[in-house]
Amino acid sequence: MEFDYIVAGGGSAGCALAARLAEDPSLKVCLAEAGGKGRNLFIRMPAGNGFVFGNPRLDWGFESVPQASLNGRRIYFPRGKALGGSSIMNGLIYMRGVPEDYDAWRDSGLDGWGFSDLFPYFRRSQGARNRQEPWHGIDGPLKTELSANFGTLEKAFMEAAIVAGHKPLDDLNGPVRTGIARTDSTVRCGVRQSSAIAYLADPPKNLTILTGRQVARLSLEGSRAVGIETIDGEQIYARGEVIVCQGAFGTPHMLMLSGIGPADQLAAHGIKVMADLPGVGANLADHVDVSMQYGSDRMDLSLARHQRLDKAAWLMSQWLLSGKGPGSGAFFSTVLFHALENPALPEFEVFMTPMIFDENLTSGAEQKTPLLQYLGRKLLVRGRKVAQPGVQIDINLERPRSLGSVCLASASPYDPPLIDPNYFSDPQDLDQMVHGVNAMREIMAVPGISQYLTGEVGAWKGAVSDRQIKEAIRATAYTGHHPCSTARMGAANDPTAVLDGQLRVRGMENLRVCDASAMPTQVTGNLNATIIAMAEKAADMILGRNRLPPEDPRL
């Protein structure tokens, strides 16, 4: 098989990029994805995460190496394995970074990647149901609407935050970020808007979508990419370019298997070095997350009440018949951004969930439950522990100083990479997180929310001093599900940059990367919207089209 362009990986970026490239009818475009079509019932249902998370058919199920700063715990990294990539299982939040994030990219030497440069691509991708221009796009394929599940506990948390001094906001993607608001979700009429559902609902004839094709390595002729090879030995060729879109873990893994990466690491695994790029697999940035948990005796207010099979069946029936009800939205709909110093660059993104749960699939044995609850929890609850009534406060550190790595375990594409997020290796991250915990405790002590709660539970109960708080953090920290920057763009004088400002792999021809791994640095907020905007911009770059005129709604 031969095509003009091969997009290797059908995730958030890959689906959007392939669809945009195929808008030129003279081109033959191939999208190769390891998983399936990404359209099953529980992907489409926003609350169906329990059937996706941990399912080996839909989740790569990566694990970290033991984390020294987290008491030796391994961290589970769910990553989507189907068309749509991790947008088949993410938290459905539509969130851009703040303007200062992208302006820092531009100021580092990446012309064309500032906020005003990327903003028109955010607008081109978005189809907002409840928002208006100039801050939003209204006609794009990625449909968004206000989050659906916004009940008593969410309202109480928001009111308590305002009492504690936090600013109420109408739109977290508007002119102000620091404050609290109801979120926008990538949902339309009760259906999850994965990038596959958004961009590939009606693929054109010149776009060939190949599922069940796990890419083993690139096919190279010297420094020129000429195609891809699957783990089954199938060769697919590109007359033009190969664009790698395998995500923060998959992209550096596949580049290294192809001989593109740190020469010493490649040589140690017997891989011929095609391009010595030490930045491949380096600079892994993730929003480390700490979960504070508060018990409650109000099961009637908790999403945990839907665990029982009869309740879960009712939820699903309501969604199937009307596209409405609790199954039609994300589990969390209220987000707070908290700044310690500069309100334009808040250090913390805080998610409130009206139940408590443990989603780390590396934590202990599966908790035993009665049959009805066991069947019901498979629909709605992630992790090995049963969800309980209460409130969970997840604090994400937005710009961590601690950076990790993705390395080869072997030269075999069957062996997953070694992932080391290296959480809290910089002690300033841990000190900042203590400030975040204290700020959230001020909110949770406000009677408007505390009246529904019975107090902190688990590692947090009795953790008062800074030392005790740090112990609780080490016992509960987890991934914020936002890994990035492992094959990052950078200026010509940046020794760890893998890509130039056109997303081209240094030292190679006809090879680009477009996904979270290409992000120069972490951003303030969830990553999905940024990754899709990058894909929109990349399509113009690859096809030689004029870039969209810069826009800045602040002006």
Side-chain angles (χ1 to χ4, degrees), residues 210-248:
L210 302 176
T211 55
R213 273 24 179 240
Q214 183 177 338
V215 180
R217 58 186 60 83
L218 295 161
S219 296
L220 303 175
E221 291 181 356
S223 62
R224 180 185 179 91
V226 297
I228 58 175
E229 178 185 337
T230 72
I231 57 172
D232 296 325
E234 184 179 21
Q235 298 281 346
I236 305 170
Y237 294 100
R239 288 184 289 268
E241 297 187 15
V242 177
I243 306 100
V244 181
C245 303
Q246 306 240 359

Side-chain angles (χ1 to χ4, degrees), residues 19 37-38 95 127 137 170 189 281 307 311 331 339 349 386 417 463 467:
K37 297 185 182 301
M95 184 83 68
D170 174 64
C189 299
Q307 285 182 112
K311 300 283 188 180
F331 287 154
E349 181 180 13
V386 177
R467 181 185 63 80

Side-chain angles (χ1 to χ4, degrees), residues 521-535:
T521 60
Q522 187 59 271
V523 298
T524 309
N526 305 63
L527 304 191
N528 187 247
T530 294
I531 294 164
I532 290 175
M534 290 173 68

Side-chain angles (χ1 to χ4, degrees), residues 246-526:
Q246 306 240 359
F249 303 141
T251 286
H253 188 218
M254 198 260 273
L255 289 176
M256 288 187 283
L257 290 173
S258 305
I260 302 168
D264 55 349
Q265 186 180 160
L266 301 182
H269 290 284
I271 298 172
K272 182 181 178 181
V273 179
M274 307 303 292
D276 181 10
L277 293 176
V280 174
N283 300 299
L284 171 61
D286 187 21
H287 289 152
V288 63
D289 173 88
V290 166
S291 294
M292 302 178 69
Q293 297 182 334
Y294 293 80
S296 174
D297 55 11
R298 295 295 303 271
M299 178 65 86
D300 60 312
L301 299 179
S302 174
L303 290 177
R305 69 186 184 275
H306 299 296
Q307 285 182 112
R308 264 181 40 185
L309 182 59
D310 54 341
K311 300 283 188 180
W314 174 84
L315 177 149
M316 175 161 266
S317 299
Q318 190 178 15
W319 177 75
L320 286 169
L321 292 172
S322 67
K324 296 181 181 179
S328 68
F331 287 154
F332 39 76
S333 60
T334 307
V335 166
L336 165 72
F337 280 89
H338 177 55
L340 297 175
E341 298 177 5
N342 182 0
L345 284 167
E347 286 83 2
F348 304 106
E349 181 180 13
V350 182
F351 306 90
M352 177 272 185
T353 310
M355 63 178 173
I356 58 177
F357 57 97
D358 178 7
E359 62 179 327
N360 191 358
L361 294 184
T362 62
S363 299
E366 182 100 0
Q367 186 174 346
K368 300 297 184 182
T369 56
L371 179 61
L372 281 180
Q373 192 174 22
Y374 172 79
L375 295 173
R377 68 184 285 209
K378 286 297 182 184
L379 173 64
L380 294 172
V381 181
R382 302 177 293 179
R384 298 183 182 277
K385 307 298 181 187
V386 177
Q388 301 289 343
V391 168
Q392 184 156 309
I393 302 296
D394 286 284
I395 309 171
N396 277 206
L397 184 63
E398 294 301 276
R399 284 173 300 283
R401 294 174 176 85
S402 306
L403 299 178
S405 63
V406 178
C407 297
L408 289 175
S410 76
S412 170
Y414 291 96
D415 292 334
L418 301 175
I419 300 169
D420 183 5
N422 207 23
Y423 294 134
F424 299 125
S425 57
D426 188 316
Q428 290 186 69
D429 288 349
L430 192 57
D431 291 338
Q432 275 201 331
M433 193 62 88
V434 172
H435 289 295
V437 168
N438 289 331
M440 293 310 105
R441 279 179 162 171
E442 290 179 11
I443 295 174
M444 301 305 285
V446 173
I449 184 69
S450 66
Q451 64 176 313
Y452 299 109
L453 307 174
T454 57
E456 293 178 353
V457 298
W460 296 99
K461 188 173 184 178
V464 178
S465 67
D466 282 1
R467 181 185 63 80
Q468 291 169 329
I469 292 172
K470 288 180 179 179
E471 289 176 358
I473 290 171
R474 293 183 190 279
T476 61
Y478 185 62
T479 174
H481 305 290
H482 299 153
C484 65
S485 304
T486 49
R488 52 190 288 275
M489 282 191 288
N493 61 354
D494 184 343
T496 65
V498 176
L499 313 174
D500 66 12
Q502 299 288 309
L503 297 169
R504 295 174 297 207
V505 177
R506 289 182 171 182
M508 303 298 295
E509 300 174 56
N510 296 341
L511 181 62
R512 301 192 205 223
V513 168
C514 183
D515 55 31
S517 72
M519 293 170 56
T521 60
Q522 187 59 271
V523 298
T524 309
N526 305 63

